[in-house]
Amino acid sequence: MKVDIKNVLICDAVDGACVDLLKTNGINVEYKLKLPVDELCKEIKKYDAAIVRSDTKITAQVLEAGKGSLKVVGRAGAGVDNIDVTAATKNNVIVLNTPGGNSISACELTCVLIGALARPVAPAAQSMKEGRWDRKLYTGTELYGKTLAVLGLGRIGREVGMRMRAWGMRIIGYDPITTAQEAKLLGIEKMSLEEIWPLADFITVHTPLIPATKNLISSQTLSKCKAGVKVVNVARGGIVDEKAVLEALQSGHCGGAAFDVYEEEPPKSDISKKLINHPKVVATPHLGASTTEAQIRVAVEVAEQFIALTGKSKTYTTYPGQEMPVNIKNVLICDAVDNACVVLLKNNGINVGYKLKLPVEELCKEVKNYDAVIVRSDTKITAQVLEAGKGSLKAIGRAGAGVDNIDVAAATKNNVIVLNTPGGNSISACELTCILIGNLARPVVQAAQSMKEGRWDRKLYSGTELYGKTLAVLGLGRIGREVGMRMKAWGMRVIGYDPIVSKEECLVSGIEKMSLDDIWPLADFITVHTPLVPATKDLISFDALSKCRKGVKVINVARGGIVNEQAILEAMEKGQCGGAAFDVYPEEPPKSDLLKELISHPKIVATPHLGASTSEAQVRVAVEVAEQFIALTGKSKTYTTYLGVINREVLTHYQ
């Protein structure tokens, strides 16, 4: 995508890092803070883009005034409540925000407030300032052994759950999208709301404010909770009914509440004032994002997205905060996918046709009748097919990771969005990786085969423990992090490398981030979880292996070509490499003499690309591709993201 952004107007105070980053990338910046609407309408005509926080309102009037010049409005923060997205779309103005920038700060504030409800630190500290020593008056309760209900299991909700679980709390949660299995991997028991209410000692909400979540905590739901339940809201005012909480506090049914957000800000109503002044309420003035780190992060993230939109940077290439409607009414499914995909599409008003494994000539005829197509790996979407679908075809969805069977360049040329489901296989790929790590430590594959052949070679198949060993994870996306979390629970030290993920994010998953040169001499096991791009081709090479400790073991469940098979084979012959496990290969199925020699080596565990081969993964990728198609229509409040889009530059065609 290339959006010509040369001049940016900053309307609300943001960290200087935003300005520095924009200027470093050749974009002019002007600061004109909190302009009255009339002045803003005059000024906006001079700029390609504007950055706001929450003070400045970008209304239909402002957007109309900027018509012909304004291309992007960026919100340095989560949500776009102060931007008229409908009017922006009408005027072909991209709207983006920084949905992840505040996550850690909001999470940590939530945890602090949970602690403040359990131990009345705020009133106790105030009493000390007033010269009193009311030790007995401020007795609290322990959190250990209590049950925390997390409503909304996005990034913030998950991070809260992870932290409070470490305090010995039982974490239960609800989210309409997150699966029970995904929640379980985070140590969260997913339940229905009706199951949650009577169990929770504490309830914290982490959902957007939409009709379905308005007054999610109400008089009715509180009546179903155990006596003494405590409620925390650091999400959005209106999710928790303030009047209902006040009444429950007054009756004694609610044991305390903490609010950082309100229906009206600043709060002015009598109900809000009574709530804030209640002795069992801890109230803060919307501080969820009020940390130095968050302010820098959201400022930098909005600048990064602006730079990415220009298409001139190799470093900044994504803009996940963008909103986009695409008219998808008819979908053709070309390869077998789980029926959950069909059901979800139909439930959201999208027609589905099933025509499997069509010859290319028939596919070219059929594709003209559809807005979108779903494939797995069998059907090839070539330039010929894309040209045939010109004028009707808008999106191609791959139910799986990777888009090797889709001509992305031709799709982009024809304004066809290409997306995949990068997270759908994550759990299955992660678990296979962990199983292969175990099989390199304990030669179960070989031992099981010897048993089938009638042998009892107990001494021959002695292995090593994983406890205390060091695992290096190269690539700390979802799969890499999940692998790290699991193997850390086995007592392994987990170190890792990723050019994007921060040290702080790694530490949350228990992973020590290092440079590659620091990693090589430390690792007992190395597992790769990166895409195959020029920078990762032969990442595990002769040179890299020569820097590793003797006996290192290597696992590749990512992409063939990331690990150099010739280098592994030679390193095993020399004793430098102690074993390797492969699930993926440069050619599939493997045919070369080199690959055949590698696979037959006694220290190799080889599997036939089974990373996504679980029934759960098949359901998940099918559902995820449907969710993204629905999100692209812009008509759903539930499905709103399409992170699997490969050629995001095409999205502007549908504004």
Side-chain angles (χ1 to χ4, degrees):
M1 162 179 268
K2 292 187 179 180
V3 179
D4 191 22
I5 300 175
K6 294 178 180 176
N7 299 291
V8 172
L9 174 63
I10 296 181
C11 301
D12 298 324
V14 296
D15 190 87
C18 173
V19 179
D20 293 342
L21 188 56
L22 290 170
K23 287 183 175 179
T24 300
N25 283 270
I27 296 173
N28 302 316
V29 180
E30 286 202 37
Y31 251 114
K32 296 190 179 180
L33 306 185
K34 300 182 183 179
L35 292 173
V37 67
D38 297 340
E39 289 186 39
L40 181 57
C41 287
K42 291 176 185 175
E43 286 293 331
I44 204 75
K45 302 171 185 178
K46 305 171 187 176
Y47 298 90
D48 305 301
I51 294 174
V52 298
R53 295 216 56 213
S54 54
D55 290 328
T56 298
K57 312 298 180 190
I58 302 295
T59 63
Q61 181 185 354
V62 174
L63 289 157
E64 189 65 32
K67 197 170 185 176
S69 56
L70 190 66
K71 304 176 183 75
V72 189
V73 176
R75 162 87 158 85
V80 287
D81 305 349
N82 54 322
I83 303 169
D84 189 328
V85 178
T86 303
T89 304
K90 178 185 173 185
N91 285 283
N92 292 320
V93 175
I94 298 168
V95 177
L96 57 84
N97 65 354
T98 56
N102 300 335
S103 298
I104 299 302
S105 291
C107 158
E108 291 181 351
L109 179 64
T110 302
C111 297
V112 170
L113 291 176
I114 291 169
L117 289 179
R119 306 294 286 270
V121 173
Q126 184 60 33
S127 74
M128 289 289 284
K129 289 187 180 294
E130 294 169 357
R132 301 197 309 275
W133 180 265
D134 296 325
R135 188 178 181 189
K136 292 183 180 180
L137 188 61
Y138 296 116
T139 299
T141 60
E142 290 184 351
L143 290 170
Y144 184 89
K146 302 297 188 298
T147 297
L148 171 65
V150 182
L151 308 186
L153 297 172
R155 183 174 176 190
I156 297 173
R158 294 179 183 197
E159 296 284 359
V160 168
M162 287 165 62
R163 284 162 174 75
M164 300 319 296
R165 189 166 179 266
W167 285 48
M169 299 190 83
R170 177 191 181 191
I171 313 297
I172 60 178
Y174 170 77
D175 191 291
I177 298 171
T178 303
T179 66
Q181 187 180 18
E182 288 173 316
K184 187 178 180 181
L185 292 172
L186 298 161
I188 302 171
E189 303 169 55
K190 183 180 177 182
M191 300 181 177
S192 70
L193 290 172
E194 293 303 312
E195 290 173 314
I196 280 173
W197 304 132
L199 295 177
D201 297 299
F202 293 77
I203 300 173
T204 178
V205 295
H206 299 285
T207 70
L209 178 62
I210 57 176
T213 62
K214 174 72 174 171
N215 293 337
L216 182 62
I217 306 297
S218 62
S219 296
Q220 183 183 15
T221 55
L222 284 168
S223 70
K224 298 175 182 178
C225 294
K226 60 170 66 174
V229 66
K230 297 179 175 70
V231 178
V232 182
N233 186 6
V234 182
R236 281 285 184 268
I239 297 171
V240 177
D241 186 322
E242 295 172 6
K243 184 180 179 184
V245 171
L246 181 60
E247 290 174 356
L249 285 165
Q250 291 169 337
S251 71
H253 188 69
C254 179
F259 287 84
D260 185 54
V261 289
Y262 311 88
E263 294 180 41
E264 171 186 38
E265 294 185 3
K268 294 175 184 175
S269 71
D270 289 341
I271 288 174
S272 292
K273 289 177 180 177
K274 285 181 183 177
L275 186 73
I276 290 165
N277 287 310
H278 195 283
K280 291 187 177 179
V281 168
V282 180
T284 51
H286 205 145
L287 302 179
S290 295
T291 65
T292 305
E293 295 85 352
Q295 298 314 303
I296 294 172
R297 200 177 295 119
V298 297
V300 168
E301 282 187 16
V302 76
E304 289 175 346
Q305 293 185 66
F306 276 18
I307 296 162
L309 284 167
T310 68
K312 297 176 182 177
S313 172
K314 298 292 186 184
T315 305
Y316 307 111
T317 56
T318 61
Y319 28 93
Q322 183 180 352
E323 306 221 351
M324 182 73 48
V326 180
N327 190 22
I328 298 175
K329 293 180 179 177
N330 299 291
V331 172
L332 173 64
I333 296 180
C334 298
D335 297 324
V337 297
D338 190 87
N339 192 53
C341 173
V342 179
V343 171
L344 186 56
L345 289 169
K346 287 183 175 179
N347 286 346
N348 282 269
I350 297 173
N351 302 314
V352 179
Y354 242 118
K355 299 192 178 181
L356 305 187
K357 300 182 182 179
L358 293 171
V360 66
E361 295 84 0
E362 289 185 40
L363 181 57
C364 286
K365 292 177 185 175
E366 286 293 334
V367 82
K368 301 171 185 178
N369 304 321
Y370 295 90
D371 304 300
V373 170
I374 294 175
V375 298
R376 295 214 60 209
S377 54
D378 290 329
T379 299
K380 312 299 180 190
I381 303 296
T382 63
Q384 181 186 353
V385 174
L386 289 157
E387 189 64 30
K390 197 170 185 177
S392 56
L393 193 63
K394 303 176 183 73
I396 304 288
R398 163 86 158 88
V403 288
D404 305 348
N405 55 322
I406 301 170
D407 189 328
V408 177
T412 303
K413 177 185 174 185
N414 285 284
N415 292 316
V416 176
I417 297 164
V418 177
L419 58 84
N420 66 354
T421 57
N425 300 335
S426 299
I427 301 303
S428 292
C430 158
E431 290 182 352
L432 180 62
T433 302
C434 296
I435 289 166
L436 292 176
I437 291 169
N439 272 278
L440 288 179
R442 307 294 287 270
V444 173
V445 172
Q446 300 91 326
Q449 183 60 33
S450 75
M451 290 289 285
K452 288 188 179 294
E453 293 169 359
R455 301 196 309 275
W456 180 263
D457 296 326
R458 187 178 182 190
K459 293 182 180 179
L460 187 61
Y461 297 116
S462 178
T464 60
E465 290 185 352
L466 290 170
Y467 185 89
K469 302 297 188 297
T470 297
L471 170 66
V473 182
L474 308 188
L476 297 171
R478 183 173 175 192
I479 298 174
R481 286 200 295 259
E482 294 285 0
V483 168
M485 288 164 63
R486 284 164 176 73
M487 301 318 297
K488 192 168 190 294
W490 283 45
M492 298 191 83
R493 178 191 181 191
V494 183
I495 60 178
Y497 170 76
D498 192 292
I500 299 170
V501 179
S502 69
K503 283 189 175 182
E504 291 74 19
E505 288 175 307
C506 292
L507 285 173
V508 170
S509 301
I511 301 171
E512 304 169 54
K513 183 178 179 181
M514 299 181 178
S515 70
L516 288 172
D517 282 333
D518 288 333
I519 280 173
W520 303 132
L522 295 177
D524 297 299
F525 293 78
I526 300 173
T527 178
V528 295
H529 299 285
T530 71
L532 179 61
V533 294
T536 62
K537 173 72 175 167
D538 293 337
L539 181 61
I540 306 298
S541 61
F542 295 93
D543 182 57
L545 287 167
S546 70
K547 298 174 182 176
C548 293
R549 61 172 55 177
K550 189 168 184 171
V552 67
K553 297 179 174 71
V554 177
I555 302 94
N556 186 6
V557 182
R559 281 285 183 268
I562 297 171
V563 177
N564 184 310
E565 287 87 358
Q566 178 76 53
I568 291 287
L569 196 56
E570 291 187 12
M572 285 194 299
E573 294 300 331
K574 295 176 181 176
Q576 177 66 12
C577 178
F582 287 85
D583 184 54
V584 289
Y585 311 88
E587 63 172 347
E588 295 186 359
K591 295 176 183 175
S592 71
D593 290 341
L594 172 65
L595 289 177
K596 289 178 180 177
E597 185 180 354
L598 183 79
I599 290 166
S600 62
H601 195 284
K603 290 186 177 179
I604 291 287
V605 178
T607 51
H609 205 146
L610 302 179
S613 297
T614 66
S615 56
E616 295 87 351
Q618 299 317 300
V619 174
R620 200 176 296 116
V621 297
V623 169
E624 283 190 15
V625 76
E627 288 175 348
Q628 292 186 72
F629 274 13
I630 295 162
L632 282 167
T633 69
K635 297 175 182 177
S636 173
K637 297 290 186 183
T638 304
Y639 307 111
T640 57
T641 60
Y642 31 90
L643 298 178
V645 173
I646 301 296
N647 56 345
R648 299 189 77 91
E649 59 267 37
V650 175
L651 293 173
T652 53
H653 179 74
Y654 297 97
Q655 288 180 11

